[in-house]
Amino acid sequence: QVQLVESGGGLVQAGGSLRLSCAASGTIFSISPMGWYRQAPGKQRELVASISSGGSTNYADSVKGRFTISRDNAKNTVYLQMDSLKPEDTAVYYCHAARVVGRSGVGDYWGQGTQVTVSS
């Protein structure tokens, strides 16, 4: 069974930095895009950033120039470096792995979420 385990959330002051990590465990042969989504209270979940298996990246306009997504295919791990954090970045951040080819077939998976809180 494939699982995504996130780490790195927490409380930080505005202007600070955090680095999120998400590791996929289980018998995995390949993963297509991996990404980070976030959901603030009372709002819909939104895409923050995504990265293809080849390294092509996509960012929400609100985080361009401040956040950097990267991945280590050998470790089935995706990272999100968040710099110049703003209070409006406060949300639960979720890792997503699309088209995971594993022993039991192909599927999409979500992490459990990690809280990021930015104080003003």
Side-chain angles (χ1 to χ4, degrees):
Q1 181 71 4
V2 175
Q3 288 187 319
L4 302 183
V5 179
E6 301 154 350
S7 61
L11 173 64
V12 65
Q13 288 188 331
S17 298
L18 284 173
R19 187 185 193 220
L20 306 183
S21 299
C22 171
S25 63
T27 302
I28 296 169
F29 301 118
S30 66
I31 305 176
S32 292
M34 298 185 78
W36 291 93
Y37 289 72
R38 67 186 181 188
Q39 187 167 19
K43 295 187 176 182
Q44 290 188 331
R45 190 174 297 189
E46 62 175 357
L47 175 67
V48 177
S50 65
I51 183 168
S52 70
S53 56
S56 297
T57 59
N58 180 50
Y59 294 94
D61 287 343
S62 59
V63 306
K64 283 181 180 177
R66 300 188 297 121
F67 290 11
T68 303
I69 189 170
S70 60
R71 66 189 282 175
D72 184 333
N73 291 330
K75 296 181 179 180
N76 292 323
T77 300
V78 64
Y79 307 95
L80 186 67
Q81 177 66 41
M82 304 185 293
D83 299 318
S84 302
L85 282 160
K86 303 176 181 180
E88 51 263 44
D89 295 318
T90 295
V92 177
Y93 284 69
Y94 296 90
C95 174
H96 178 249
R99 285 194 54 79
V100 180
V101 181
R103 178 180 295 173
S104 59
V106 181
D108 284 14
Y109 296 90
W110 290 91
Q112 80 281 5
T114 185
Q115 177 70 46
V116 171
T117 302
V118 184
S119 63
S120 57

